[in-house]
Amino acid sequence: MIDAVSHIGIFVLDQDEALDFYVGKLGFEVHTDARMGDYRWLTVTPPGQPELQVMLAVPGPPAVDADTAERIKSLVTRGHMGAGILSTKDCRRTYEELVARGVEFTEKPTDRFYGVDAAFRDNSGNLWRITEPVENPPREFPPS
């Protein structure tokens, strides 16, 4: 039986630049940086969550052929590849801290039914959201 998510993968355009962004700007920690021939296995972990590794992978062989890799890169740079949602206890403070580190946001913190939410793109173009969840968000909505 599956008991956890251990890795998620996102495509980046340049692993060194992505590493600098995720570690230097977001405060993630390097978990693994290893070579397997020409392939580089690079993972980072969110602060305080070492059991979840985020793999920063450049699209290309052996995972995908060259034509597909170019298509993926195009989607990433245009922001069509949503990376995920990051959690914080204070979205507005986290927003200010990340702006000060040079992170460019596409949406400022906004109150939503599920909490306070903001959005940014990483240096490759992947869309991330940062959410300060409310304690008991509604699970159903009345018909409109």
Side-chain angles (χ1 to χ4, degrees):
M1 182 55 97
I2 296 170
D3 61 7
V5 174
S6 66
H7 292 70
I8 61 169
I10 62 170
F11 287 118
V12 297
L13 304 180
D14 180 287
Q15 286 177 307
D16 290 324
E17 290 176 8
L19 183 62
D20 182 57
F21 181 87
Y22 281 86
V23 172
K25 293 190 179 189
L26 298 185
F28 282 38
E29 299 169 354
V30 177
H31 184 281
T32 305
D33 190 352
R35 297 270 179 191
M36 298 168 14
D38 291 336
Y39 184 78
R40 182 179 182 190
W41 181 269
L42 177 61
T43 65
V44 295
T45 61
Q49 195 177 8
E51 68 280 1
L52 177 62
Q53 296 180 54
V54 178
M55 184 170 53
L56 305 174
V58 175
V64 297
D65 62 73
D67 184 50
T68 302
E70 291 308 310
R71 291 179 186 176
I72 293 170
K73 288 177 185 177
S74 176
L75 290 170
V76 168
T77 58
R78 290 187 278 166
H80 295 303
M81 303 288 278
I85 300 171
L86 305 170
S87 181
T88 182
K89 290 181 175 32
D90 187 333
C91 187
R92 288 178 176 84
R93 187 180 84 212
T94 301
Y95 167 83
E96 293 298 332
E97 290 170 352
L98 294 179
V99 166
R101 293 181 190 169
V103 176
E104 296 181 24
F105 278 76
T106 59
E107 294 179 38
K108 293 181 178 185
T110 304
D111 291 316
R112 312 249 188 225
F113 75 90
Y114 50 83
V116 182
D117 177 82
F120 71 90
R121 292 187 193 202
D122 71 10
N123 60 327
S124 291
N126 291 296
L127 180 65
W128 284 97
R129 300 199 77 82
I130 297 177
T131 301
E132 173 190 336
V134 295
E135 192 167 317
N136 293 307
R139 296 192 180 262
E140 294 184 22
F141 298 96
S144 44

